[in-house]
Amino acid sequence: MSPCKAAHGTMLRMSQTHADYRLSQLDQLEAESIHIFREVAAEFEKPVLMFSGGKDSIVMLRLAEKAFYPAKIPFPVLQVDTGLDFPEVLETRDNWVNRLGVNLVVASIDDAIASGVVVDDGKTSRNRMQIGTLLNAIEENGFTAAFGGGRRDEEKARAKERVYSHRDEFGQWDPKNQRPELWSLYNGRLHEGEHMRIFPISNWTELDVWDYIGREGIEIPNIYFSHQRRVFVRDGMLMSETPLNPMREGEVAEERTVRFRTCGDITLTGCVESTASTIDEIIEEIAVAKLTERGATRGDDRFSEAAMEDRKKEGYF
Amino acid sequence: MADTTGTTKGTNMDLLRFATAGSVDDGKSTLIGRLLLDSKSIFEDQLEAVEATSTSKGYDYTDLALLTDGLRSEREQGITIDVAYRYFATPNRKFIIADTPGHVQYTRNMVTGASTADLGLVLVDARQGLTEQSRRHAVILSLLRVPHLVLAVNKMDLVDFSEEIYEKIHAEFTQFATKLNIPDLEVIPISALNGDNVVNRSENMDWYSGPTLMHHLEHVHVASDRDLIDARFPVQFVVRPKSDEFHDYRGYAGQVAGGVLKPGDEVVVLPSGMTSKISKIDLFDKEITEAFPPMSVTVHLEDDVDVSRGDMIARVKNAPEPLQDIDAMVCWMTTKPLQPRQKLAIKHTTRTGRALVKDIQYRLDVNTLHRDQETKELGVNEIGRVQLRTTVPLLCDPYSKNRATGSFILIDEATGVTVGAGMING
C-alpha cells in the first residue's frame, strides 16, 4: 500500500477546511483565458482578435469582454470575409460587434484577389486563399498579436501548439522549433515583421465551449441549432443548397432536419441531421457523437492526415 | 437570437492536470490510449485514421501512439518529441494530460509539461523494475514540485501478476523517494494493454487492495495544493474605462497567485511599500467577497496609490521580500550553454527585467542526484543551481511555497527565445 495512507486523516481535515476554495473546471478555464487576454493587452503593441462568428470566436469575445470590463475591449476584431460565409453568422457577428462597441476590420478575399494579394487560379479553394488574405491584413494593419479560437482537442497538430505561437516574417509556423512554454509565464518577444498567434482557449474542449455558452446565455448563430434546410450529399457530407455552392450533376437537394457543428466556408462546411434545439440537447448529442466536429463536417481537414499542420505552417488560423 | 439559457453539467466538475512521462516501450501511449478509449474520448474518425496509418506502415496492431504523436516529423521518427496536450473527462472531473517524451535529450519538454501539473504519472515496466529513466522522471517531477505522484507498475500480465515483483519495485521506489520531495505517492500495479487496474479493478491481482488508476485520478484531492495562506496578487493590467458611466473607475486586474483576498484587507503594494485597504473585488460585473487562486479578478484599493503592471499586492504583515540576488534551480533549454557573466531577460509573474548570471554552483545529475561542482556551465536539458543578479527586484517566494511566485523564465535577448526555466530556492 501507499506510504501516504497514514496521512489520510490529515488530508480529509484539510479538504473540509478548504472546501469553499474550489473552482469548477469551467471557472478555472475562464480564469486562465482571461489571464492570457490581459497579458497580451499589456505586452503587445497592436493585438487583434480573429473573429469568424463561430462559437469558439464568440466564446473568445465573451472572455475578452470579461477581461477588461467595464472598459471596452482594447483591440479590434478582424474577420476574413470569404464571400462564402453563412448570412446567419454575419448577422451574429454584427450583433456582437455593435453590443460591445468594438472596431471591426474586414479583410475580404474578393478585395485580395482584385488587388493581386492572392491569385484565384480556379483550382485553389477559398479556404486556402484565406491564408494570404489574413497575412496581408495582419501586415497592412501592423498587428503584432492575433487571437485565434483554436483548441488543442480539435486536431493533433493543434495539440502541440503553444498558447503564444510564434510566426516569422512570412507568417509561418515552425512546429519543430517552438518556444518552451512553462507555468503561466508567456514570452511575447518579437522581431520586426514577426507576429504572435494567441490561443486563449487552447485548453477548452468542444464540450467546455458548449457548457460555457449555456452558462453565460450568450448569442450564437442559429444554424448551430436544429432547423429545416434543403441539403444535398457531397463526399459523404450534407451540404447546404445555396447559389454560392452550385450542385454538380447527380446531386439532389431535399429538405432535412439539420444543424451545423462548426461554422466555416459554406461550400466546405457540412451539417448533421439533428433535432437538438437547445444547448442541453446539443451537449447530449455531442456526448454520444462518434466523429470529431472537424472530421464530421469539414471538407478542409479531410485532404490528408497532416492537412491542418500544413496549412498552419503557412499561416492559417 | 437563439435561446442559449439552460443548465449545464460541466459547471460543477473540477479539473486535474497531470503529466505523463515514459517511452513507447513503457507502454505510455497504450495507457493514454486506454484512458481515452475507456472514457470514450476518442472518436471513430480518429481511431480509423490511426488504424489506417498502422496498416499502411505494415503493423499488425493499432499503434495508439499515433494518436498522441501529432507532428509529421514525430510520426516519421516514431517518437514523441514535443509536449502534447490531451483531454478527457469523467462525470466529475475533467483531465488535461501533458504527454511528454521520456528520453533524456527531451528533459526540457518534460519540465515544461510538469510545470503546470497537479499530478505526475511515471511508468515502469514490471519486467525491468526501476530504471535510470524512471528515477529521472521522479526527480524532475519532484524538482517541479508536482504534489502528487503515481508510479504505475505496468505490464503486470508479463510477470504473472506477481505480488512479489510489485512489492520489490514499490519498496525500491519508496526508498529512492525519501531523497525527493514527494508529498503524496501511490504505486499501482496495472496492465495497460489488457486494462487491469486502469479503469476496472483487476481480477488477476486480488492481493492489491489500493485504488485503480482511474479511481485515483478521479479522487486525488488537489484543491488544497495551492497556497491559501499567503496572499499574492501580481498586477497585470490597470483597468480604466475613461467612459462617462465609469469615470472614476480604476481597478487592478490580475490572477490571484496565493492566499485569499477580501474587501477590508490591509494590503501593501510592492515594491513601493505603500499601504492601503482593499475596497472591493470585481469578477466581471459582480462584486465578490473573496478571491482565491487561480481566479482572475479586478481589485480596487481605498487610497489613490500608484499601482501599475508588475507590482504585487500582498498583506501588510505577510509580503514577499523584494530580491535582486536570486538563488534558483535552472533548467537550460537551448544548445548554446549557460555560462557565468551571461546576460538574459527574465520574466517573473508580471514583471520583466534583465538578469546577470553570477555563478553556476553545481550541475545536478538528474539520474543520480549527484552534484557536479566542477563544470561551470549548463548544457541543453541540464539542470543546475544558479545565482543571478537582476536589474529589478523580484517579488518572490520560494518555489517550494508557491509555484506561481517562485518561478521565472529566462529569455535570450537577441533571439527572443525562451532558453531557461527557474525555480527559486529558499
Side-chain angles (χ1 to χ4, degrees):
Chain A
M1 291 298 306
S2 147
C4 300
K5 278 286 137 67
H8 226 107
T10 331
M11 282 187 62
L12 272 178
R13 272 203 305 282
M14 279 178 71
S15 72
Q16 278 155 11
T17 317
H18 298 315
D20 296 332
Y21 298 125
R22 213 196 100 214
L23 221 48
S24 77
Q25 62 110 0
L26 218 45
D27 286 329
Q28 287 191 50
L29 291 174
E30 181 189 64
E32 176 182 87
S33 303
I34 288 176
H35 171 81
I36 293 162
F37 272 110
R38 289 167 171 173
E39 279 300 285
V40 172
E43 290 199 316
F44 286 86
E45 225 164 282
K46 214 173 168 196
V48 67
L49 186 147
M50 299 190 287
F51 186 71
S52 67
K55 65 182 191 315
D56 300 311
S57 62
I58 284 175
V59 164
M60 276 209 298
L61 207 46
R62 174 64 166 180
L63 292 161
E65 178 188 7
K66 288 192 167 192
F68 306 105
Y69 184 88
K72 275 189 188 171
I73 295 173
F75 40 78
V77 300
L78 169 70
Q79 194 222 351
V80 176
D81 175 11
T82 59
L84 300 171
D85 298 298
F86 288 91
E88 297 90 338
V89 173
L90 295 179
E91 188 190 320
T92 306
R93 175 200 73 185
D94 291 340
N95 290 343
W96 270 91
V97 164
N98 292 335
R99 185 174 73 75
L100 297 176
V102 287
N103 245 330
L104 174 68
V105 180
V106 177
S108 138
I109 289 186
D110 287 322
D111 292 349
I113 293 169
S115 62
V117 170
V118 294
V119 177
D120 187 4
D121 57 7
K123 283 178 277 184
T124 311
S125 78
R126 292 224 151 201
N127 186 281
R128 278 269 173 188
M129 287 192 270
Q130 285 183 88
I131 299 174
T133 311
L134 172 67
L135 293 177
N136 183 61
I138 288 174
E139 199 172 317
E140 266 192 351
N141 291 281
F143 294 126
T144 52
F147 293 101
R151 308 188 320 263
R152 288 174 179 151
D153 79 319
E154 272 181 275
E155 205 280 331
K156 54 189 172 184
R158 285 198 160 150
K160 308 244 161 167
E161 185 147 20
R162 306 294 187 255
V163 172
Y164 275 36
S165 187
H166 182 261
R167 295 293 187 277
D168 67 14
E169 57 269 58
F170 299 100
Q172 297 181 112
W173 179 51
D174 183 358
K176 278 203 253 182
N177 227 341
Q178 298 192 81
R179 294 176 180 177
E181 198 161 77
L182 300 103
W183 300 288
S184 48
L185 293 170
Y186 301 105
N187 172 4
R189 299 261 166 155
L190 293 174
H191 292 109
E192 188 68 33
E194 299 173 346
H195 74 276
M196 203 69 85
R197 294 291 171 85
I198 314 280
F199 298 103
I201 59 165
S202 284
N203 284 324
W204 297 52
T205 62
E206 185 185 10
L207 207 53
D208 296 329
V209 166
W210 283 113
D211 274 341
Y212 193 70
I213 290 168
R215 185 183 90 171
E216 300 288 306
I218 49 179
E219 180 190 351
I220 57 169
N222 53 22
I223 62 169
Y224 281 115
F225 299 95
S226 176
H227 59 282
Q228 299 292 311
R229 180 177 289 263
R230 286 185 60 79
V231 294
F232 62 92
V233 178
R234 179 177 293 169
D235 302 330
M237 292 192 297
L238 287 179
M239 309 302 292
S240 202
E241 184 191 44
T242 159
L244 297 171
N245 193 19
M247 285 197 283
R248 297 170 193 157
E249 215 183 294
E251 290 173 342
V252 190
E254 57 176 329
E255 189 163 288
R256 302 246 194 123
T257 306
V258 297
R259 69 175 203 88
F260 288 84
R261 280 178 77 184
T262 65
C263 283
D265 174 332
I266 207 164
T267 65
L268 287 169
T269 308
C271 49
V272 291
E273 287 199 83
S274 166
T275 54
S277 55
T278 64
I279 299 281
D280 281 348
E281 283 167 12
I282 289 174
I283 289 172
E284 248 168 68
E285 189 184 280
I286 297 166
V288 296
K290 292 196 168 78
L291 298 178
T292 58
E293 57 183 10
R294 287 196 163 263
T297 60
R298 287 299 278 269
D300 39 341
D301 290 323
R302 291 180 148 194
F303 302 130
S304 78
E305 188 173 30
M308 177 67 92
E309 183 179 342
D310 292 344
R311 279 182 300 156
K312 286 191 74 66
K313 280 182 187 167
E314 289 175 34
Y316 191 66
F317 300 102
Chain B
M1 144 155 198
D3 177 29
T4 58
T5 47
T7 53
T8 51
K9 299 172 202 113
T11 41
N12 289 320
M13 292 163 73
D14 73 359
L15 180 64
L16 181 84
R17 294 173 199 253
F18 71 96
T20 58
S23 55
V24 181
D25 305 337
D26 302 324
K28 183 191 64 165
S29 298
T30 314
L31 178 62
I32 291 177
R34 178 142 301 275
L35 286 170
L36 296 176
L37 269 176
D38 288 359
S39 62
K40 299 181 178 60
S41 308
I42 293 180
F43 293 98
E44 261 176 24
D45 52 334
Q46 288 174 307
L47 199 60
E48 275 168 19
V50 166
E51 278 167 359
T53 310
S54 300
T55 310
S56 73
K57 288 192 170 192
Y59 302 156
D60 52 7
Y61 60 96
T62 302
D63 186 1
L64 289 174
L66 294 167
L67 275 172
T68 47
D69 294 339
L71 302 174
R72 197 190 284 273
S73 56
E74 293 179 319
R75 288 194 297 276
E76 281 163 8
Q77 294 177 52
I79 51 166
T80 310
I81 298 168
D82 209 338
V83 186
Y85 294 90
R86 296 281 144 201
Y87 303 82
F88 71 98
T90 60
N92 299 315
R93 212 167 229 188
K94 172 181 169 169
F95 300 90
I96 301 179
I97 313 175
D99 181 17
T100 70
H103 298 97
V104 68
Q105 66 265 39
Y106 302 117
T107 295
R108 61 181 179 153
N109 306 75
M110 193 183 161
V111 168
T112 301
S115 73
T116 51
D118 305 305
L119 180 144
L121 176 62
V122 175
L123 273 125
V124 294
D125 184 329
R127 295 169 303 176
Q128 319 246 325
L130 289 189
T131 58
E132 186 179 275
Q133 175 151 301
S134 42
R135 285 194 185 88
R136 183 175 69 249
H137 294 162
V139 167
I140 291 168
L141 291 166
S142 149
L143 266 173
L144 271 291
R145 298 279 173 169
V146 178
H148 307 273
L149 192 141
V150 173
L151 182 74
V153 183
N154 192 23
K155 306 195 184 180
M156 288 299 292
D157 52 317
L158 299 182
V159 294
D160 296 327
F161 301 102
S162 157
E163 182 180 8
E164 198 187 330
I165 286 176
Y166 165 78
E167 287 298 346
K168 185 170 163 283
I169 294 172
H170 189 322
E172 198 185 338
F173 190 79
T174 308
Q175 170 68 25
F176 177 68
T178 56
K179 293 188 244 174
L180 308 174
N181 293 298
I182 299 172
D184 173 35
L185 170 70
E186 197 72 55
V187 184
I188 306 176
I190 64 166
S191 165
L193 194 65
N194 303 318
D196 292 81
N197 286 338
V198 178
V199 173
N200 301 313
R201 180 157 284 284
S202 170
E203 287 171 13
N204 299 307
M205 292 178 271
D206 47 15
W207 45 263
Y208 173 73
S209 58
T212 63
L213 178 60
M214 186 68 104
H215 185 273
H216 185 63
L217 293 174
E218 276 192 293
H219 294 92
V220 62
H221 186 71
V222 292
S224 57
D225 290 342
R226 298 196 187 249
D227 179 354
L228 292 167
I229 308 293
D230 310 294
R232 301 287 186 263
F233 187 74
V235 175
Q236 260 192 300
F237 191 88
V238 182
V239 180
R240 288 175 59 204
K242 296 175 202 154
S243 63
D244 290 344
E245 194 187 345
F246 297 98
H247 196 267
D248 294 322
Y249 190 102
R250 186 184 173 87
Y252 307 109
Q255 186 167 24
V256 184
V260 181
L261 304 173
K262 297 186 180 103
D265 282 353
E266 289 191 27
V267 292
V268 59
V269 180
L270 297 171
S272 73
M274 305 282 282
T275 57
S276 185
K277 257 187 195 174
I278 294 179
S279 56
K280 63 168 184 149
I281 303 171
D282 287 338
L283 183 68
F284 184 39
D285 58 356
K286 288 189 184 63
E287 272 188 57
I288 54 172
T289 54
E290 285 183 312
F292 53 91
M295 290 171 80
S296 281
V297 297
T298 304
V299 171
H300 298 254
L301 300 182
E302 274 184 8
D303 307 281
D304 204 4
V305 290
D306 181 22
V307 184
S308 56
R309 174 175 169 84
D311 290 353
M312 165 101 63
I313 295 172
R315 298 298 302 272
V316 173
K317 287 185 180 150
N318 177 351
E321 208 180 328
L323 289 180
Q324 279 182 268
D325 290 298
I326 309 291
D327 172 27
M329 297 304 289
V330 168
C331 174
W332 193 244
M333 304 182 143
T334 194
T335 42
K336 200 179 119 208
L338 177 74
Q339 286 166 332
R341 307 304 303 164
Q342 204 166 323
K343 290 190 185 95
L344 297 145
I346 186 166
K347 186 172 181 185
H348 170 262
T349 62
T350 55
R351 231 171 151 67
T352 306
R354 301 180 72 209
L356 169 73
V357 180
K358 302 280 280 187
D359 188 25
I360 298 171
Q361 221 172 310
Y362 59 80
R363 189 172 64 181
L364 184 75
D365 184 324
V366 286
N367 295 321
T368 61
L369 290 176
H370 173 73
R371 296 170 178 186
D372 171 9
Q373 298 182 345
E374 303 304 310
T375 320
K376 286 291 174 192
E377 61 172 41
L378 290 182
V380 62
N381 291 304
E382 291 184 340
I383 296 172
R385 187 167 181 175
V386 175
Q387 267 71 46
L388 300 168
R389 171 81 187 171
T390 57
T391 51
V392 295
L394 302 188
L395 311 162
C396 54
D397 294 294
Y399 185 75
S400 57
K401 245 177 114 180
N402 189 321
R403 290 166 87 188
T405 56
S407 55
F408 60 83
I409 55 169
L410 297 168
I411 299 163
D412 184 306
E413 293 187 300
T415 62
V417 171
T418 307
V419 288
M423 293 153 280
I424 296 163
N425 292 323

